[in-house]
Amino acid sequence: GGEVGVEIDGSQLEGGGQILRLSLGLALLTQQHVKVHSIRKGRAKPGLARQHLCGAELLSDMNFAELSQAHVGSTELTINGIGTYISAAPRTLIADPGSAGAITLVLQAALPVLALTYGHARDTTLVLRGGTNVNFSPSIDFASMVHVPLLERFGVPVHLTTVARRFNTQHGEQGEVHVSVTPPPDAMRLK
């Protein structure tokens, strides 16, 4: 429900999924009602693939936000980030696309939301399933050796554990990564 406050053209730049991931995360962080259209227009198969839908659903679940037009193949997606409820209760959220979609791309979208709005739930863990080493995506090694240490230098302690490693060439198998964030100081948390 509610009026769309910001409309994003998902066909901009290379027309892939990154605009969608960033738009959804920023909608939650800024508490905006955002519509993304022309999703993945630059791809051979436009619209949401399973891994994009799974990432959108995870972000929605993290802050109890409302998604609409959320289905595989959809070229539009709306998220209502206005007045999202932030739970203080610890919980485990699972993102499982049922494929070897890149875990690190979901991680890129989820980490800012987890750290800046949701991180105060001390025992919250994200269980991300899919590919840990996927073509055209950062590897889980990059995430653990570059991305996580960089965030820690900014005062965001991220705990990342690779439970199972899978490459996108291993059909039918998935990797698994567990992620949690120690809450940042109150001064850093978005309200």
Side-chain angles (χ1 to χ4, degrees):
E3 279 189 38
V4 172
V6 178
E7 195 163 319
I8 308 285
D9 182 350
S11 70
Q12 293 300 302
L13 302 172
E14 43 89 33
Q18 190 65 23
I19 291 175
L20 173 69
R21 286 186 290 275
L22 289 174
S23 298
L24 297 177
L26 290 171
L28 295 174
L29 290 173
T30 60
Q31 294 195 336
Q32 296 285 316
H33 195 151
V34 174
K35 176 182 180 178
V36 183
H37 65 85
S38 304
I39 295 171
R40 300 181 68 241
K41 187 175 181 180
R43 297 295 191 235
K45 291 183 181 178
L48 295 173
R50 286 186 302 181
Q51 65 266 25
H52 303 102
L53 178 59
C54 182
E57 289 170 341
L58 174 68
L59 288 170
S60 174
D61 290 347
M62 286 171 72
N63 282 37
F64 301 94
E66 180 184 336
L67 279 179
S68 58
Q69 297 146 313
H71 56 86
V72 171
S74 177
T75 57
E76 290 186 4
L77 185 68
T78 303
I79 189 165
N80 186 353
I82 299 171
T84 54
Y85 171 71
I86 300 171
S87 172
R91 60 188 182 145
T92 298
L93 299 172
I94 300 171
D96 185 350
S99 70
I103 287 173
T104 54
L105 296 181
V106 173
L107 186 62
Q108 284 178 354
L111 269 177
V113 177
L114 185 66
L116 297 175
T117 64
Y118 196 74
H120 69 283
R122 296 194 182 279
D123 296 320
T124 300
T125 301
L126 300 181
V127 175
L128 307 177
R129 296 186 179 132
T132 56
N133 298 72
V134 177
N135 294 341
F136 310 109
S137 303
S139 68
I140 199 63
D141 303 301
F142 175 84
S144 64
M145 292 190 281
V146 178
H147 195 185
V148 167
L150 183 61
L151 288 171
E152 288 174 345
R153 289 181 70 181
F154 282 96
V156 181
V158 177
H159 310 283
L160 186 146
T161 304
T162 302
V163 176
R165 189 179 285 275
R166 294 296 180 266
F167 299 83
N168 63 329
T169 56
Q170 292 175 294
H171 298 289
E173 297 185 35
Q174 290 182 295
E176 183 169 304
V177 173
H178 295 186
V179 183
S180 62
V181 174
T182 301
D186 283 338
M188 202 175 140
R189 193 173 309 129
L190 295 179
K191 305 216 188 279

